[in-house]
Amino acid sequence: MRTRSQLYAVKVFEQIERDVKDAPADERTKYGSLALKLPALIRTAGLAQALAFAEARGEAAGKRLLDHIAAVVGENGGRCELLKRVREVELAEYMDLTRRILGALTWYGRFARTILGVELGADEEGVG
């Protein structure tokens, strides 16, 4: 039996290898930068606000990251369903979603650094 973190690591690695690794450099940078910045934004602004901000930017990299996060945490309806759920759930489930998404973002950040070669602050037009 694998831990949740191990399952996240496998899924995130597969997503980045399949969908992001060979994308244009600017998209890789935006994706990786957002993955690195979202945890701090979630902790300061809250999950719903942080995810809505990423969606509102309207960039393909942000939408792709949100779709990836939704798939990893088990939201089969993609980012739209995840955003709706985050807005509507009760407090206990909101807190659980926050923990799970932060857990997944740990792996997105690690792979953004190692696979994509992105460091925090690489996309100055990004979050923060």
Side-chain angles (χ1 to χ4, degrees):
M1 183 171 192
R2 293 182 180 178
T3 66
R4 180 182 290 172
S5 183
Q6 288 173 310
L7 295 172
Y8 289 169
V10 169
K11 289 178 182 177
V12 171
F13 179 81
E14 289 172 353
Q15 290 172 333
I16 289 177
E17 282 285 318
R18 180 188 66 233
D19 298 335
V20 185
K21 182 180 164 189
D22 296 324
D26 64 322
E27 188 171 334
R28 286 192 317 265
T29 300
K30 288 177 182 179
Y31 181 99
S33 183
L34 187 58
L36 290 166
K37 292 175 183 178
L38 260 180
L41 188 57
I42 289 169
R43 287 184 182 95
T44 58
L47 181 64
Q49 294 88 338
L51 297 184
F53 175 82
E55 171 73 8
R57 293 189 63 211
E59 295 177 358
K63 290 180 180 189
R64 178 176 284 176
L65 178 61
L66 291 176
D67 279 332
H68 284 173
I69 291 168
V72 167
V73 299
E75 286 299 323
N76 296 328
R79 72 179 179 277
C80 294
E81 187 61 34
L82 175 63
L83 292 168
K84 180 179 182 221
R85 187 162 173 227
V86 165
R87 288 190 309 267
E88 296 175 354
V89 296
E90 296 295 324
L91 179 61
E93 190 173 355
Y94 184 85
M95 291 172 63
D96 181 59
L97 273 170
T98 300
R99 278 190 295 272
R100 290 189 299 146
I101 289 172
L102 285 171
L105 281 166
T106 299
W107 289 104
Y108 285 104
R110 287 177 182 159
F111 292 137
R113 285 187 170 104
T114 59
I115 297 172
L116 303 178
V118 176
E119 290 298 327
L120 196 56
D123 177 19
E124 291 305 317
E125 294 178 3
V127 181

